[in-house]
Amino acid sequence: MSATPTTFPAGDDIARAWWNGVADGRIGYQVCADCGAVQFYPRSHCTACGSARCETRASKGAGAIFSITVVHRPPSEALRAHAPYAIALVDLDEGFRMMAHADPGCAIGDRVTAAFIPFGDRVVPRFARA
Amino acid sequence: MAYIAGVGNTRYGKVEGSSTLSLASEAAHLAMADAGLGVKDIDGVLTGYSTTLPHIMLATVIAERMGIRPVYAHAMQAGGATGVAMVMLAKLLVDSGQCRAVLALAGENRASGQSRDQSIQTLAQAGHSDFEVPYGATIPAYYGLLAARYMHQFGVTGADLAELAVLMRRHAGTHPDAHLRTPVTLDDVMASKPIALPLRLLDCCPVSDGGVAVVVTREPTGAARVRIRGAGQAHLHQHISCMRDWADCGAAQAAGRAFAEAGMTTKDVDYLAVYDSFTITLAMLLEETGFAPRGGAGAMARDGRFGVAGDLPLNTHGGLLSFGHCGVGGGLAHLVEAQRQLAGKAGARQVKKATTAFIHGDGGVMSSHVSMLLERM
């Protein structure tokens, strides 16, 4: 554990596909073809009904800030240049919540839309006031 | 019945030259001596994980080092709740007749055995490796998100949270083994450097070396007669992005199960030992488990209710925030202090009335909850 890298490669094909979507400016989420439940993060089965028929859709990238923190002490030397940066929980209009970056000036309840910026070893979604 | 027959701890802080095994075994020998038992009396060994010694079989490694040949042994992982979870399992083992005396122990040289960056990165793995960690999230960031939302939703202020940091430091000042003993003021907390706003440095627990151990027995050993009256758990989510209800993270459900088993209510409790990795952790847990009104934990601290002379003394050793946090041993130290208070062995920190204690451990990001009720016989 002592050689923990700063960031992690996507753990499996589902996660890799999601991050590849982000690199193309797309935030994917899942809708169960059997029960209609919306879920995030993406996985192989619906957590509401157990169905394996989870369809991936692209979000419009609009939502509201549920919570936000401004990180002044990053986890590694590699991310120090980015600090301070804001991490938020965002409630997307399609009915799912995700973690993402946000404009540090955002506040809880703000309407936001997604942009895509380089951070660490990848491009990440970053939300700013709509 | 299950008794906490003996407890022990090393000093906390930076213990140069220490290791997971040296810290855990030193604490274990103290706990066994406190219980009046030797290694030959121990037939169960439970330990947690250690980030500085990620061995695949930590319990048997420790048992071998100490010369114990248990009939039941393994390591457990429930984050910061592991300590209380181990003692709950020890209770189940002696209640079921599998064991007579279970040693639950933990130790980690988390401060001296790795760099600060390594420590922060390793702990951040409690977050989702694909959908949280890549954003540069840290444990303080996850709790920063909790704090911002909780403050917004329940009208808690930064000053309310700071009261809890001041209180924990005051308590630690009376414990010779505590990591951080220099008193701090409300202004010190509010002016400390930002870590993951709204959380500042003094809202966060330190990274410490330390070892803690507890002996749980089926029969009283002639030492302390402190018994476990009830225990319960709840696990509603692992990652903060999957936590749905800020008013119900699982703490109340775990506490409810412990109270139901004990046949008690919050009104029957006269000592509190509650997990406090951050000031927000302590506020949320006190409020959700019903010992403080929503948004009211800081005010109760301000009014002296949680002090050694208060009606609900809380973490009289100084908690994770000031006694220190060495991983699994951090959460187990709360239980050790509760047992000492109930046994009348808390020295200068001894509270006037301590017959029953409520203990709560939280692992991950308010993810794993274990509650326990102790009673002096």
Side-chain angles (χ1 to χ4, degrees):
Chain A
M1 266 206 195
S2 59
T4 310
T6 304
T7 51
F8 287 68
D12 56 27
D13 285 347
I14 296 172
R16 260 190 297 278
W18 189 84
W19 281 104
N20 286 339
V22 167
D24 293 336
R26 208 168 53 246
I27 294 172
Y29 69 102
Q30 290 178 319
V31 179
C32 176
D34 286 317
C35 78
V38 172
Q39 75 181 12
F40 192 86
Y41 49 92
R43 50 205 119 170
S44 61
H45 286 75
C46 169
T47 54
C49 75
S51 164
R53 300 203 305 141
C54 296
E55 293 174 356
T56 298
R57 295 187 192 167
S59 166
K60 291 200 172 79
I65 299 280
F66 179 79
S67 192
I68 182 164
T69 180
V70 181
V71 177
H72 287 255
R73 195 346 178 155
S76 66
E77 193 57 49
L79 296 179
R80 205 143 295 176
H82 293 277
Y85 51 87
I87 294 175
L89 295 175
V90 182
D91 284 335
L92 278 298
D93 290 348
E94 290 86 359
F96 67 97
R97 181 176 299 161
M98 66 179 289
M99 188 177 282
H101 272 203
D103 181 332
C106 287
I108 291 173
D110 281 354
R111 287 288 307 169
V112 288
T113 52
F116 299 87
I117 55 142
F119 179 82
D121 66 351
R122 66 189 76 189
V123 167
V124 302
R126 177 178 151 132
F127 287 82
R129 274 204 199 87
Chain B
M1 279 222 227
Y3 293 83
I4 314 244
V7 298
N9 68 270
T10 68
R11 101 182 145 80
Y12 272 39
K14 217 161 192 180
V15 184
E16 294 294 348
S18 66
S19 70
T20 288
L21 297 177
S22 74
L23 293 162
S25 59
E26 182 187 334
H29 281 290
L30 292 168
M32 288 188 299
D34 188 38
L37 300 176
V39 289
K40 298 288 177 272
D41 301 309
I42 303 295
D43 58 1
V45 173
L46 298 173
T47 191
Y49 54 89
S50 165
T51 63
T52 59
L53 181 60
H55 193 281
I56 59 170
M57 299 172 68
L58 200 49
T60 44
V61 168
I62 288 174
E64 177 191 274
R65 175 167 171 132
M66 296 191 64
I68 300 169
R69 292 180 172 177
V71 301
Y72 186 99
H74 62 72
M76 298 168 60
Q77 291 183 311
T82 308
V84 192
M86 291 195 299
V87 177
M88 179 174 175
L89 177 58
K91 170 195 184 291
L92 297 173
L93 287 170
V94 300
D95 280 349
S96 70
Q98 288 290 317
C99 295
R100 284 197 316 268
V102 179
L103 179 63
L105 74 175
E108 193 169 338
N109 55 333
R110 196 170 265 196
S112 64
Q114 60 193 353
S115 74
R116 181 73 36 122
D117 272 4
Q118 276 177 329
S119 191
I120 292 172
Q121 286 180 38
T122 301
L123 298 175
Q125 307 315 311
H128 197 295
S129 60
D130 289 317
F131 297 100
E132 295 182 345
V133 174
Y135 296 107
T138 58
I139 288 281
Y142 304 132
Y143 277 88
L145 287 164
L146 280 171
R149 182 68 199 185
Y150 197 81
M151 291 164 76
H152 172 86
Q153 199 164 324
F154 296 107
V156 174
T157 68
D160 290 330
L161 297 182
E163 289 285 356
L164 298 167
V166 171
L167 174 72
M168 289 303 103
R169 189 62 65 87
R170 189 184 312 135
H171 285 174
T174 65
H175 198 306
D177 297 328
H179 185 170
L180 301 174
R181 304 183 58 200
T182 310
V184 294
T185 65
L186 208 58
D187 289 343
D188 292 336
V189 180
M190 310 265 296
S192 60
K193 67 178 177 184
I195 299 295
L197 289 173
L199 298 179
R200 296 176 174 275
L201 182 66
L202 294 180
D203 288 300
C204 309
C205 62
V207 174
S208 317
D209 298 332
V212 188
V214 165
V215 179
V216 176
T217 58
R218 197 190 306 166
E219 309 289 342
T221 62
R225 296 174 75 93
V226 174
R227 81 169 174 111
I228 302 170
R229 256 184 79 154
Q233 303 192 12
H235 310 266
L236 305 187
H237 69 278
Q238 168 61 26
H239 303 113
I240 185 168
S241 37
C242 294
M243 176 172 158
R244 280 296 163 265
D245 185 353
W246 257 239
D248 175 19
C249 64
Q253 296 183 35
R257 285 166 193 149
F259 276 116
E261 186 182 20
M264 294 166 69
T265 72
T266 53
K267 294 201 183 347
D268 300 317
V269 171
D270 46 35
Y271 180 84
L272 294 176
V274 178
Y275 200 79
D276 61 324
S277 48
F278 298 89
T279 50
I280 184 64
T281 319
L282 187 52
M284 286 180 78
L285 291 175
L286 285 167
E287 294 170 18
E288 185 172 324
T289 55
F291 288 99
R294 284 286 179 195
M300 282 178 72
R302 200 177 298 127
D303 295 343
R305 304 274 309 274
F306 298 134
V308 172
D311 61 318
L312 272 175
L314 165 71
N315 300 348
T316 47
H317 65 309
L320 297 162
L321 284 167
S322 284
F323 189 78
H325 197 342
C326 60
V328 174
L332 192 54
H334 294 75
L335 190 144
V336 164
E337 179 70 358
Q339 193 268 8
R340 284 190 180 129
Q341 288 288 357
L342 265 51
K345 290 183 177 176
R349 310 180 308 281
Q350 185 63 47
V351 307
K352 221 182 289 173
K353 180 174 183 276
T355 310
T356 54
F358 172 80
I359 296 151
H360 190 90
D362 148 45
V365 191
M366 294 294 195
S367 319
S368 284
H369 294 275
V370 188
S371 295
M372 184 170 284
L373 286 152
L374 303 185
E375 175 188 37
R376 184 184 66 215
M377 299 300 283

